[in-house]
Amino acid sequence: MPRPDPDETTPIPGASDRQGWGPLISAGLVFLIALLITWGAWNGARRDAAADLAAQFDYRSRDLVNTTVRRMAVYEQVLRGTRGFMRGSTDIDRRDFAEYFRVQNLQEHFPGIQALGIASIIPPGRLAAHEAAMRAQGFGSYEVHPQPSGSIVTTITHIEPFTGSNLRAFGFDMYSEPVRRAAMEAARDSGAAALSGKVVLVQEGRDAQPGFLMYVPVYRKGAPVASVDERRAAIVGWVYAPFRMADLMRGLGGAHAADLQVTVYDGARADPDALLFRSQDAAAWRRPLLRLTLPATISGRPWLLDIASSPSFEARLDTRRPQVIANTGIGLGFLLALVVWLLASERRRAVRLAKAMTLELRQSYEHIDAERMRMDVILQTTYDAFVAVDAEGRITDWNRRAVQQFGYTREEALGHEVGELLVPFEERVPGERGFAQFTRNGRPLVIGEPAELMARHRDGHLVPVEIVVAALPAEAGYGASAFLRDITPRREAEAREEGRKQRLDEARMALARSQKLEAVGKLTGGVTHDFNNILHIISANVQLLMHSSKNSEKRLQNILDAVERGTKLSAQLLAFARRQPLHPSLVDIGLLLERMDSLLHRAAGDGVTISLAREDGLWPTLVDPNQLENVLLNLVINARDAMDGQGKVTIALENRTIDSDDAADDPELTPGDYVRIAVADTGEGMPPEVIERAFEPFFTTKPEGKGTGLGLSMAHGFVRQSGGHIRIASVVGQGTTIAIYLPRASAQADTANPPATPSLH
């Protein structure tokens, strides 16, 4: 019996049928396995695409909430800046307020804000006076509305822009409306900004939309505001801004506004009555693919934002990659099944082809994974909405402005410590210590108002910046977001202003020196003129004596008179220069005037009436009595000349205490106790230009030969040398009052030795 060939297959009965079905069954099993693998890859790709879309939606939603919170924080800073501009008073010039609003350019830079206004509190009982005052300013139909009925009445006294629908709010009493009143009281009691609930603005017309208002309290300048009672007592009004909700949200969406359908509720619940805003393209019957409800707290008031994906956003779901995977898997499975079917009878060739197909399938999956990683990188590069630092101090986001301001690109900044890039070398140790404390408790490094500090540029130079820090909760600790503003232009403007002030001060000093030199020149000319006249008299009389011995006694007397006038002129010049020798003693000015009564009446003449008004318990003063008598005598003579010898002179004596408020009106007058001597006449008075020069030496309004112009100059010098002060008050056509303030002495006046009375000059 022949042996079978080992390579020859021995037929088995019925095996031919099984062999005919065997390759087909193997190919079917291979194709089924390929379909299962393809389904798994397709399902994974579909889940990854949905997860990517959900991640984008979550980021866009949270970014919208953060953008809303930050934008409202910026509006709050605008109101705080306006409060700083007001300096604790609501009574500011309308033109200054309008110019401030124009410079801020709020409606262009901050869309959604309807206006910027000031609500003032009208004191009780002053409503009619307030309305009358406003009408006197040119607002003839102004009245506070609605008719006030409560104990506290407010009114909108300033609003910009002062046009269009904003005119309806002018004079509106916001405190009379419960929702607005609640926000105003919250701002008043807390000292911080407060947001109102849902309202309809008084500016609204036919196309009304929901709105709200933000209030910042304005307290009286210098008033204590540590407690609630002190803040209620110090409140003078509010600076506020009304917002139309639709206009506000229209400015927040940015380039991706159509991706989200947003519904905003006032409060923590989705109450239809509290609906503030709903996107126009949001349909109630449509069921969105993605939805997220997020809370937000703005100026102490909770909002609820219901955010859903829009059809245009859902259209971005990546269906191409799963479809490619499905088509590729089905095709490869079919090819693999075909190969198995074709190579069922050729084992070696089938194994080789199977390995080749397996390698091709692996490469295909690797290509798919590489494509997925590339798409993930592209998505990561789109996350550049804000600058952030994680809890370890490493930069996680870096916007375009940071690139421009500090010189580092986004790739260079991400992952680096913020202190390594921005903090100056000498401040890194305390900065790291402070940031470590911040990451633990989340308390801002800079509390309250923005702070100014120096940041380091990439090239090493320091950039002055204004920084505001906010905490970002993380899984472990707190991260931070920081907004930095380059204030180099502002510093340069301040330096220019300081230089301008310095140059102005130098110019004023130069003008003062010039005026002083002018006064000295006038003094020198006057002295030269008068002394020349005296010397001429002496010279002429001496020459006459030399040529004739007759009448020598008379001429000698003329010489003596001229010398005496020169002596008096010298004494007056010394008094003006505050260098005359004084012999002060304790003086009761009332007794001194009683002793001078006859002398004063003789000097004034019969046509002048002199009256003395003296306060009881008059304080003594330490002065030279002789010089004081000369001053009083000169003042009475000047009063007589001002009245042409007919009129009344009143001399009033009183004690006067000058406090710091009175002294603030005159920097030369120091606070303290004084004896005031006022000499008033009923003459023709002095115009302002004469008052300004009244104390100048040799300045006089009398005709030539009737005065030297040194009387008031001598009085000014004597009073200032005695530690006092002299003032002039005059009304043309009614008279002049010259008031002398002499410091109070501590002891009683010594009246035992009355001073000698000077002769009349």
Side-chain angles (χ1 to χ4, degrees), residues 32 75 89 186 242 329 426 711:
L32 180 60
Y75 290 149
S89 173
E426 62 275 8

Side-chain angles (χ1 to χ4, degrees), residues 216-238:
V216 170
V218 179
Y219 300 109
R220 189 179 302 107
K221 183 177 181 182
V225 292
S227 65
V228 173
D229 291 338
E230 289 176 344
R231 288 191 282 270
R232 289 180 177 179
I235 190 72
V236 297
W238 294 263

Side-chain angles (χ1 to χ4, degrees), residues 273-288:
D273 294 336
L275 178 64
L276 280 175
F277 172 77
R278 174 173 287 162
S279 299
Q280 294 182 356
D281 56 348
W285 55 267
R286 179 180 172 273
R287 184 175 182 180

Side-chain angles (χ1 to χ4, degrees), residues 387 398-408:
V387 178
W398 188 263
N399 64 3
R400 289 190 298 271
R401 182 163 297 181
V403 174
Q404 299 170 0
Q405 190 164 314
F406 301 111
Y408 295 98

Side-chain angles (χ1 to χ4, degrees), residues 229-265:
D229 291 338
E230 289 176 344
R231 288 191 282 270
R232 289 180 177 179
I235 190 72
V236 297
W238 294 263
V239 56
Y240 81 99
F243 297 88
R244 303 182 77 200
M245 195 64 192
D247 296 343
L248 174 66
M249 296 303 295
R250 191 181 302 116
L252 292 176
H256 304 285
D259 292 347
L260 304 176
Q261 295 177 343
V262 184
T263 304
V264 183
Y265 297 95

